[in-house]
Amino acid sequence: MKNLKYIIFLLVVLGAASCKQDELKDIGPARQVISAMKGSWSLNSVIQVDEYAKDKQFPFTTVELTDLYPYREAKLTLNTTEDHKPSTFSISFGNSPKFLKLAQGNWTVDNNDAPATMTLKSGTTTDQITIGKYGLLDQGQLLLTVKKYQVGSKGEKTLVLSNNYYFKKAN
Amino acid sequence: MKRIYKLSLIAFFCLIGITAQAQKAQIKYTVTPGVFTPEDEVILEIDLAGSSLAGKEPYIWAFGPGDAITNTSWTSSPDIAKFTKVAGDKWKYIFVGTSFYNKGASEIIGKPFSFLVKTKDGGIQSEDYTPTKFSPILFVPTLFRNFPIRTSQYDALSLYLDQRYTVSPNNQRFSPTSINIRLLDPAGQLVGQEKKGLPIVKQKDGSFGYTFLPEILFAIPEGKIVNKAVYSFTGTVKDVNGSTVPYTTEEAEVVFLDLK
């Protein structure tokens, strides 16, 4: 019986000694979002989201607008500096509705490493755009969302609708 | 000896617990309306008379769907948490769920509205109270529907007709073919030309719809403010003699908001 104790103890010690630290796989280099956004993009689809309805779990929350007007004629070019920072942009709308105020100017982001919003600016005119899922960039797509807010009497903002513009990389 | 020491310690902590419990004030309160959605304005009225909070300035500490914006520091509640005096020991606090909890309605629906009342420094507090849960905001299907529900003159607008949701026999049985739309400015004046006979598209759910960008369809001059779109659907219906005659529904309207 006494020996059994020692055997168990020995097994536990051996078991513990046999453990080795798992090597974590390298997660690879950080995603270069700005570099991935650089280049020419063609508008591929436009989807309107009723954020007010979505928030209240109403049944009708999206409408596809792509074929309503020649949205696919819109082309966006995003340029960057040599050190991969946002610089200038241009948009050629063609016959597409002009869904942004600006056609050219400078673009900036809130965070160069993990941008969530981009600002298009020319003079005092600006367009605020939300950058969509980074995963789409790996598939050659760029989602830009223009959000619309209702502003209350005390200045409180409520998101009521979004227009999602899905671009695809132009070759 | 050791056991006596342990028992004394337990008794000591029990006593502290009882004392702390005794400090929790029991107050009277009313919530108006009794049932509310996260978007309704709610008035919480309290009466501190006869409680240990009587004569004190009360502050709210609210929870349920998470901490309310008033829950910044227990020992120093912010001014936004302070009740407004009604008279004597009666106070009131007004809030709207979404801004009070700084969350979307869907994160609040079904969650309890819970609160307690405290002094600014948290030295005295009431019991916890949970009067009710936040009610869902219901979708009611109707003959006319617009998408998005809240929109501006600069966004695409879809107008729908669903004949399942009407009590009017003609609205139920007419064959819709088109829509008439006109835009009005804040003074009620027509903006651009009224558009008549725009073709509608049958939707998957059996309703009929028409989608457009107001600024393109009506060539709205730059800077012109549009207050609303007024629309009706047209088509044909059989009259009492079995003849096919034109039919137009009553008008519905969509008010444009100044979205930022």
Side-chain angles (χ1 to χ4, degrees):
Chain A
M1 196 62 189
K2 215 173 186 180
N3 284 342
L4 188 65
K5 262 192 202 170
Y6 289 121
I7 290 165
I8 292 170
F9 178 72
L10 197 67
L11 283 172
V12 170
V13 170
L14 284 172
S18 68
C19 292
K20 63 168 185 177
Q21 198 175 349
D22 287 340
E23 278 185 20
L24 295 173
K25 283 183 184 172
D26 188 2
I27 57 168
R31 191 191 289 272
Q32 301 295 318
V33 181
I34 302 297
S35 296
M37 289 172 71
K38 177 190 174 182
S40 298
W41 301 88
S42 298
L43 187 53
N44 192 43
S45 66
V46 183
I47 295 172
Q48 190 182 33
V49 180
D50 188 335
E51 302 285 357
Y52 179 87
K54 200 172 155 187
D55 188 51
K56 284 161 190 59
Q57 301 167 355
F58 287 0
F60 303 101
T61 55
T62 59
V63 162
E64 164 103 43
L65 301 176
T66 314
D67 296 325
L68 189 62
Y69 297 104
Y71 278 110
R72 288 198 176 97
E73 291 188 18
K75 316 270 183 222
L76 166 69
T77 303
L78 297 173
N79 299 312
T80 60
T81 58
E82 280 181 9
D83 58 345
H84 310 295
K85 302 256 168 58
S87 60
T88 57
F89 78 94
S90 63
I91 302 177
S92 152
F93 287 103
N95 289 310
S96 159
K98 291 175 179 53
F99 50 87
L100 294 172
K101 285 177 261 178
L102 293 167
Q104 59 184 15
N106 292 304
W107 67 292
T108 54
V109 290
D110 58 336
N111 180 330
N112 281 324
D113 296 323
T117 58
M118 68 188 284
T119 304
L120 307 183
K121 192 169 182 184
S122 180
T124 53
T125 311
T126 58
D127 277 304
Q128 284 282 345
I129 300 164
T130 302
I131 299 166
K133 289 176 281 189
Y134 297 159
L136 290 171
L137 291 166
D138 300 338
Q139 300 159 28
Q141 290 185 68
L142 172 65
L143 167 59
L144 299 179
T145 302
V146 177
K147 295 182 172 178
K148 300 286 182 86
Y149 296 87
Q150 190 175 358
V151 182
S153 55
K154 291 169 192 161
E156 70 278 16
K157 287 166 79 180
T158 307
L159 178 64
V160 293
L161 75 92
S162 319
N163 292 312
N164 291 334
Y165 300 94
Y166 289 85
F167 290 85
K168 66 176 181 183
K169 199 99 184 185
N171 294 317
Chain B
M1 192 62 191
K2 218 171 182 180
R3 183 169 287 179
I4 291 171
Y5 175 70
K6 270 187 184 171
L7 284 171
S8 312
L9 213 62
I10 290 166
F12 176 69
F13 282 115
C14 283
L15 207 63
I16 287 176
I18 290 163
T19 313
Q21 192 67 25
Q23 278 185 345
K24 285 191 176 178
Q26 290 189 330
I27 61 163
K28 290 177 191 154
Y29 72 89
T30 57
V31 180
T32 312
V35 177
F36 47 85
T37 72
E39 291 195 337
D40 294 328
E41 191 174 77
V42 181
I43 303 169
L44 171 63
E45 288 188 275
I46 57 170
D47 187 352
L48 306 176
S51 78
S52 53
L53 279 163
K56 311 284 184 199
E57 285 190 335
Y59 289 76
I60 193 168
W61 185 273
F63 41 98
D67 275 335
I69 55 169
T70 51
N71 302 6
T72 52
S73 165
W74 178 261
T75 52
S76 179
S77 282
D79 288 344
I80 51 165
K82 192 176 172 184
F83 281 75
T84 305
K85 190 160 193 155
V86 177
D89 273 319
K90 290 184 176 172
W91 301 75
K92 69 177 177 183
Y93 192 86
I94 302 172
F95 68 91
V96 175
T98 46
S99 47
F100 191 48
Y101 288 98
N102 195 24
K103 288 181 188 300
S106 61
E107 297 170 270
I108 300 175
I109 289 168
K111 304 273 170 54
F113 161 58
S114 301
F115 74 96
L116 60 83
V117 179
K118 63 189 278 289
T119 50
K120 186 177 176 71
D121 62 5
I124 308 172
Q125 69 173 89
S126 74
E127 302 273 0
D128 293 355
Y129 298 104
T130 301
T132 186
K133 287 180 179 176
F134 285 94
S135 297
I137 301 155
L138 299 175
F139 172 78
V140 180
T142 48
L143 176 66
F144 301 110
R145 177 173 69 82
N146 60 277
F147 182 99
I149 293 169
R150 294 186 182 186
T151 190
S152 80
Q153 68 184 72
Y154 303 106
D155 292 287
L157 176 63
S158 299
L159 303 170
Y160 298 100
L161 174 85
D162 194 330
Q163 293 173 282
R164 292 172 296 177
Y165 304 109
T166 177
V167 290
S168 153
N170 278 344
N171 279 345
Q172 279 175 0
R173 65 194 185 92
F174 89 106
S175 302
T177 53
S178 60
I179 187 171
N180 304 326
I181 310 170
R182 65 179 194 275
L183 300 185
L184 301 177
D185 69 9
Q189 299 299 309
L190 202 60
V191 177
Q193 297 280 313
E194 180 176 9
K195 302 290 176 186
K196 289 191 169 185
L198 300 166
I200 51 177
V201 178
K202 191 160 188 175
Q203 310 292 305
K204 284 176 189 166
D205 65 353
S207 65
F208 293 88
Y210 182 79
T211 301
F212 65 104
L213 265 170
E215 55 188 332
I216 290 182
L217 183 64
F218 290 88
I220 303 168
E222 180 114 15
K224 176 76 181 174
I225 303 294
V226 182
N227 184 39
K228 59 184 169 185
V230 180
Y231 64 100
S232 59
F233 289 87
T234 62
T236 55
V237 70
K238 298 273 187 196
D239 68 7
V240 287
N241 301 316
S243 307
T244 301
V245 294
Y247 179 77
T248 302
T249 65
E250 62 268 35
E251 290 186 327
E253 61 182 43
V254 179
V255 174
F256 294 119
L257 302 173
D258 181 20
L259 301 181
K260 304 292 183 190

